[in-house]
Amino acid sequence: MALNRPMNPPKPRSQYLLVFSFGLLLLVLTALMALGMTRIESFNSRLNEVTDSQSRNIGTVSELFLSNGQRVSIIDRIFAAATPEERADVHARYRRTIEIYNRAVTSLRELPVSAASRAARDDAIRAAALARGVGEEIVQLLLKGQVAPASELNLTQAVLTDGRLQETLYRLLEANHSATAQAVAVANQGMRNGFLLIGAGGLFALLAGAVIALLVIRVVAATEANLEHEKELAEVTLHSIVDGVITTDASGRVDYLNPVAERYLGWSTQDAHGKPLAEVYRVIDERSGNGIDPLAGGADAAAEDEPVSVRLVDRKGRECPIRYSHAPIRGRDGTVHGMIVVFHDVSQVRAMAQQLIWQASHDALTGLVNRREFERRLSELIDTAKTQGKEHALLYLDLDNFKAVNDTCGHAAGDELLRQLTSLMQTKMRGSDTLARLGGDEFGALLESCLTEQAVRVANALRETIREFRFVWQDKTFSVGVSIGLVPLNAESRDANNVLTLADVCCYEAKNRGRDRVQVYRPQDRDYTGRHSDLQVVSQINRAFELGQFRLYRQFIMPVNPARGMPPHHEVLVRMLDRAGNLIPPTGFMPAAERYNLLTSIERWVVSTLVEYLHRQWLSGGIPRETDAHGERGFYSVNISGASINDKSFPDFLRNLLTRYELPHGLLCFEITETTAISNLTKAAELMHELKGMGCRFALDDFGTGMSSFAYLKYLPVDYLKIAGMFIKDMETDPMDHAIVDSVNRIGHILGMQTVAESVEDAATLSRLKEMGVDYAQGYFISEPEALGAESGHERAVLSA
Ligand SMILES: Nc1nc2c(ncn2[C@@H]2O[C@H](COP(=O)(O)OP(=O)(O)OP(=O)(O)O)[C@@H](O)[C@H]2O)c(=O)[nH]1
Ligand SMILES: [Mg+2]
């Protein structure tokens, strides 16, 4: 669980969008305001200019008005002056007034006026000059004392020019006034536009603000929904996980328990909320029983796994083994907001682990210890025997005739018998002893500190208990026995493997001696090593039966002179696969099989497997339906031993087999060695007659090795004589062998038998055999054995050679 996983950060895009839009809005707004203000400002200053020039115009015109009025009034005073002094005095004032008048006219000329006022101004300047000129003329007349012309001039001209001047000045004022009014109107309009611009900016800002506010509301709502969703998800997760989860605040007080934690702690979130963690979540060291701080190491030492085995103690004091981890809950900035503790119940896992440990050392069927554990304990006992001089005993038990129970009532019955016998045997043993199931119907017992005589007594007690026991299954009652091998364990004992093998060998010895007995190991008595290797082969043979690891091979037997129309045939051979998958030839396992009475089983397997094979071949057309011109067809021969000859049920077995798998007559041939036949002559003759009645042929194998009289051949219904390879091999060089082969061939022919030369290993031998008239040849030169069913072109090649 990723305890430090940060929450999903809010998406930054919306933040940026918000900042950007607000920024843009402010920018636009500021620009609009600035523009509006500038426009207002410019129109304002324009208005100021206009009013300035207006007032200056008015001032200038007024000055002209005034000075003109003074000039006219001074001229009138000159008229009225009574004395020349008075006139001179008034004239002086007249001069000063004229100066002022001229300045006013100059000001008027320099006055900046609009185009509309310019004509009026120029008219006024001209009228002023005219009025001044007429006035000057009048004054000059008066100064000369010519009052009458002056008066006349005054009345005729001066009145006119003065009137004219006044009129032009009025017009100038009017023109000025209308220009000013126009400028004010333009400035007003500009101001209005400025205000309009600011107003529009404000409106835009309002609208944009509203849009942005909407956007913000939506973003915030979406973020809240996201957060809510995440919260729900976290809650659902915490509710549904199988671990207990506790969260605390920064001060270590419980904040939340998920339902699993509530169940295991016996606290509800409500009750636990605000309680110190240690009060709600109590853990103790499993071994010492001491309480431990669940947050040992603090927030920064977030423990992945607790170092010791711990138990959780719930509110009612009940305990449960757990594993837990804790980690700080950190904010984005790294500050610790609290802790999270996660724990889970490990009782099931532990039980499973214990179960596995138990299974690894015990037998599931009987509950006894298994071979592995038994060997371990055996090694320990051997050690104590060596180091402490103690003496113990090892028993190896194999039930007698256990198979019968399996075969009659099935495996379940066999299993039940094994269980019941286990209980029975346990009653005969001390607590310190070990009883184990070593496999199948084999048991082992370790009798600790037990001398041999005492061990023999225990073994016999076991044996008798088992023999007397009656096993009832449904309506049947069984009794079984047990054969026991006993090996003392003392300072001389080698290792577990060795003593177990010895015990096994003793057990087999007990079996061989008639079962239901105890065989004590006495090293001086027998050659146990030879038996041991036999036993290994025997166990391999049993394994081969169980795992189907026998294989059939066939070797081609070639007619030496094809022109005589004799059909080719094959000898069938058996091989066994060992543990490593190597093929073992019959010589590698048949002697042991013979010693341990397994020959008949192997031979029955070979015969029935061959018959099944031939049946399939027959059905599939692998064996031609038609016989050759002589009414013959190829056949397969198979070896049988004295054991099968003496096995009374062998003919019945074969009859059943041949009835089940109908085969044409003559397809099956049995080979018996000459020695076997002679040593079991009556039985062999009986069997041959019986099997010939079922359509089988017979061959006498290894003929010549017995070196007995040929006379008995008259009593045996033999079809083929197989001349022993030992004579064929050297017949080219050894005249004696040559003579034997020749005479056997002749006698065979005389008795109506066909002859087969074994072990043909070269072309010279083959051509010599041909010359002699031997019928068949077999050997590595002709063909090597091949797996039954494998197609081979070799024999055809040799045939046509
Ligand atoms: N029911 C049962 N049978 C088993 C089990 N394991 C092995 N067997 C059978 O036990 C038999 C043991 O073989 P043997 O000991 O050779 O048979 P037996 O009849 O006791 O022969 P002897 O020991 O020679 O007297 C074999 O037939 C196995 O198939 C098992 O777990 N349950
Ligand atoms: Mg047995």
Side-chain angles (χ1 to χ4, degrees):
M1 188 172 172
L3 297 175
N4 281 323
R5 183 174 68 86
M7 294 273 281
N8 276 353
K11 298 187 177 62
R13 269 182 55 206
S14 51
Q15 277 183 348
Y16 292 143
L17 195 69
L18 278 181
V19 170
F20 177 74
S21 358
F22 268 117
L24 190 69
L25 185 62
L26 279 177
L27 209 68
V28 169
L29 204 56
T30 314
L32 282 175
M33 297 282 274
L35 195 67
M37 293 302 284
T38 325
R39 296 203 70 174
I40 290 171
E41 186 60 37
S42 93
F43 282 108
N44 206 20
S45 65
R46 174 91 189 98
L47 200 59
N48 280 343
E49 270 173 34
V50 169
T51 47
D52 262 12
S53 96
Q54 163 81 346
S55 65
R56 258 193 292 147
N57 283 358
I58 292 172
T60 309
V61 170
S62 303
E63 212 170 81
L64 196 54
F65 254 119
L66 282 175
S67 59
N68 189 46
Q70 268 183 335
R71 183 185 63 87
V72 171
S73 104
I74 287 174
I75 289 174
D76 285 344
R77 297 234 328 247
I78 295 173
F79 268 110
T83 62
E85 291 82 26
E86 204 178 339
R87 200 174 287 133
D89 186 38
V90 177
H91 181 245
R93 284 180 57 195
Y94 174 78
R95 279 287 142 226
R96 285 199 297 277
T97 306
I98 282 299
E99 269 173 36
I100 294 169
Y101 181 90
N102 283 345
R103 271 206 306 274
V105 173
T106 309
S107 299
L108 189 62
R109 186 173 292 124
E110 288 167 358
L111 212 59
V113 285
S114 63
S117 307
R118 188 164 293 130
R121 185 193 61 175
D122 292 347
D123 280 354
I125 290 169
R126 273 195 298 275
L130 212 57
R132 189 182 58 194
V134 172
E136 196 64 38
E137 225 176 303
I138 294 170
V139 170
Q140 290 303 324
L141 285 175
L142 285 176
L143 287 178
K144 286 177 191 162
Q146 298 174 344
V147 177
S151 185
E152 192 185 333
L153 196 60
N154 194 26
L155 286 175
T156 54
Q157 293 289 316
V159 173
L160 279 175
T161 54
D162 283 346
R164 173 97 180 114
L165 175 61
Q166 279 193 358
E167 185 212 345
T168 55
L169 284 178
Y170 279 122
R171 272 207 291 127
L172 177 61
L173 279 178
E174 249 169 48
N176 229 334
H177 178 77
S178 70
T180 306
Q182 209 174 349
V184 168
V186 169
N188 276 343
Q189 184 60 40
M191 299 260 271
R192 262 203 305 280
N193 285 350
F195 283 122
L196 218 61
L197 210 57
I198 292 172
L203 198 65
F204 169 74
L206 205 68
L207 280 173
V211 169
I212 290 170
L214 265 175
L215 204 70
V216 169
I217 289 168
R218 285 189 61 179
V219 168
V220 168
T223 310
E224 275 181 357
N226 259 348
L227 282 175
E228 190 61 26
H229 178 69
E230 286 217 4
K231 199 175 148 213
E232 274 172 19
L233 204 67
E235 273 173 13
V236 168
T237 310
L238 286 175
H239 264 67
S240 52
I241 58 174
V242 291
D243 287 355
V245 178
I246 308 167
T247 59
T248 73
D249 59 17
S251 66
R253 288 177 183 278
V254 174
D255 190 33
Y256 168 82
L257 305 180
N258 78 340
V260 177
E262 285 184 330
R263 206 171 64 240
Y264 274 90
L265 300 175
W267 287 85
S268 65
T269 298
Q270 225 176 6
D271 290 354
H273 190 83
K275 297 256 181 331
L277 177 67
E279 187 182 332
V280 175
Y281 177 65
R282 286 191 293 152
V283 275
I284 55 167
D285 181 332
E286 193 154 54
R287 252 168 282 164
S288 66
N290 295 334
I292 47 177
D293 174 8
L295 302 182
D300 292 325
E304 264 307 309
D305 280 306
E306 70 282 14
V308 288
S309 300
V310 295
R311 298 182 81 82
L312 176 73
V313 185
D314 77 359
R315 201 174 183 178
K316 290 185 176 156
R318 287 173 302 204
E319 294 181 9
C320 166
I322 57 158
R323 288 183 82 77
Y324 73 92
S325 58
H326 63 81
I329 304 167
R330 290 184 196 278
R332 282 167 168 267
D333 56 355
T335 44
V336 175
H337 296 308
M339 294 293 287
I340 180 163
V341 178
V342 180
F343 67 86
H344 64 269
D345 181 353
V346 293
S347 45
Q348 269 189 356
V349 176
R350 285 214 191 155
M352 270 163 68
Q354 274 161 6
Q355 172 84 359
L356 284 178
I357 292 170
W358 189 89
Q359 278 172 1
S361 59
H362 286 76
D363 166 50
L365 180 69
T366 58
L368 294 174
V369 297
N370 61 15
R371 185 180 276 269
R372 218 170 73 173
E373 175 65 9
F374 186 74
E375 285 177 2
R376 193 188 63 75
R377 294 189 191 181
L378 176 57
S379 295
E380 276 179 10
L381 276 196
I382 294 173
D383 282 350
T384 62
K386 286 184 194 297
T387 54
Q388 300 166 20
K390 288 194 176 172
E391 192 160 320
H392 319 287
L394 160 68
L395 307 184
Y396 197 107
L397 305 92
D398 187 313
L399 301 179
D400 301 330
N401 304 319
F402 172 69
K403 234 165 135 245
V405 179
N406 267 348
D407 293 350
T408 323
C409 297
H411 250 59
D415 287 354
E416 182 53 27
L417 174 57
L418 290 174
R419 275 193 290 262
Q420 292 190 11
L421 287 179
T422 297
S423 311
L424 202 63
M425 285 190 276
Q426 275 168 329
T427 61
K428 298 285 155 203
M429 301 184 62
R430 299 168 302 173
S432 58
D433 298 336
T434 296
L435 181 65
R437 180 162 175 239
L438 304 181
D441 65 346
E442 294 162 25
F443 294 85
L446 291 176
L447 309 179
E448 219 176 312
S449 302
C450 184
L451 298 174
T452 307
E453 301 83 69
Q454 197 185 343
V456 170
R457 279 199 294 281
V458 175
N460 275 315
L462 282 172
R463 186 181 57 75
E464 277 162 25
T465 312
I466 289 175
R467 197 189 53 212
E468 283 159 18
F469 176 69
R470 293 289 172 270
F471 174 63
V472 183
W473 185 264
Q474 287 155 0
D475 54 346
K476 295 191 177 64
T477 305
F478 295 89
S479 67
V480 288
V482 64
S483 300
I484 305 177
L486 192 164
V487 179
L489 304 176
N490 48 40
E492 276 79 53
S493 302
R494 274 164 63 189
D495 53 28
N497 214 358
N498 177 256
V499 291
L500 257 179
T501 307
L502 294 178
D504 185 4
V505 170
C506 289
C507 179
Y508 262 88
E509 188 66 14
K511 292 261 184 215
N512 275 341
R513 291 183 172 210
R515 295 178 163 76
D516 185 32
R517 65 189 63 225
V518 178
Q519 178 67 42
V520 181
Y521 170 69
R522 286 192 188 81
Q524 64 279 12
D525 280 0
R526 301 192 62 90
D527 171 14
Y528 281 96
T529 42
R531 287 201 97 68
H532 177 224
S533 66
D534 257 11
L535 282 179
Q536 278 185 332
V537 177
V538 166
S539 92
Q540 273 187 359
I541 293 172
N542 284 327
R543 204 172 143 271
F545 271 124
E546 274 173 26
L547 304 179
Q549 288 185 329
F550 287 113
R551 297 284 181 272
L552 287 188
Y553 276 65
R554 64 175 193 180
Q555 190 176 27
F556 180 54
I557 300 175
M558 182 184 80
V560 174
N561 190 347
R564 282 204 238 153
M566 271 171 291
H569 63 270
H570 293 86
E571 179 177 351
V572 173
L573 306 158
V574 65
R575 304 272 189 273
M576 182 174 77
L577 282 174
D578 69 6
R579 277 175 199 279
N582 303 314
L583 275 180
I584 305 175
T587 47
F589 59 93
M590 282 304 196
E594 190 168 10
R595 275 196 287 282
Y596 286 91
N597 304 323
L598 290 166
L599 264 188
T600 49
S601 305
I602 296 177
E603 284 169 2
R604 282 183 183 216
W605 181 86
V606 171
V607 172
S608 48
T609 309
L610 175 65
V611 168
E612 276 174 47
Y613 168 77
L614 293 176
H615 175 70
R616 283 199 307 273
Q617 289 290 102
W618 179 248
L619 292 183
S620 68
I623 298 172
R625 303 265 155 178
E626 303 81 28
T627 53
D628 63 14
H630 305 276
E632 290 283 351
R633 64 159 57 89
F635 58 90
Y636 285 79
S637 57
V638 57
N639 295 279
I640 51 170
S641 65
S644 292
I645 290 172
N646 289 307
D647 178 359
K648 281 191 211 113
S649 63
F650 189 73
D652 282 344
F653 156 76
L654 197 69
R655 189 174 293 109
N656 287 340
L657 201 64
L658 293 177
T659 313
R660 188 146 27 115
Y661 302 103
E662 285 173 32
L663 288 183
H665 273 220
L667 201 56
L668 209 54
C669 173
F670 291 97
E671 293 189 8
I672 304 172
T673 63
E674 182 197 9
T675 347
T676 309
I678 293 163
S679 47
N680 303 278
L681 197 58
T682 327
K683 284 265 183 184
E686 268 175 33
L687 184 75
M688 283 183 183
H689 283 293
E690 199 156 1
L691 299 196
K692 285 200 78 120
M694 297 179 208
C696 301
R697 304 174 195 233
F698 267 93
L700 266 191
D701 204 2
D702 277 344
F703 192 81
T705 49
M707 278 301 145
S708 40
S709 149
F710 287 143
Y712 68 87
L713 281 180
K714 283 196 278 186
Y715 306 105
L716 294 174
V718 173
D719 304 291
Y720 302 93
L721 277 188
K722 294 187 80 171
I723 309 163
M726 58 188 276
F727 305 115
I728 308 289
K729 271 184 196 162
D730 296 329
M731 63 182 262
E732 279 299 280
T733 50
D734 187 336
M736 180 70 179
D737 284 355
H738 189 276
I740 292 173
V741 173
D742 192 34
S743 55
V744 171
N745 182 47
R746 282 166 198 276
I747 291 169
H749 283 168
I750 290 166
L751 291 170
M753 299 165 186
Q754 293 185 344
T755 50
V756 182
E758 296 180 69
S759 309
V760 177
E761 287 172 3
D762 53 53
T765 311
L766 183 61
S767 72
R768 184 53 54 88
L769 292 169
K770 200 171 180 178
E771 282 167 20
M772 276 183 191
V774 171
D775 302 301
Y776 288 92
Q778 178 180 7
Y780 275 41
F781 177 67
I782 311 297
S783 173
E784 288 186 19
E786 60 177 2
L788 191 67
E791 193 59 28
S792 163
H794 182 64
E795 52 205 52
R796 238 161 285 133
V798 176
L799 264 173
S800 58

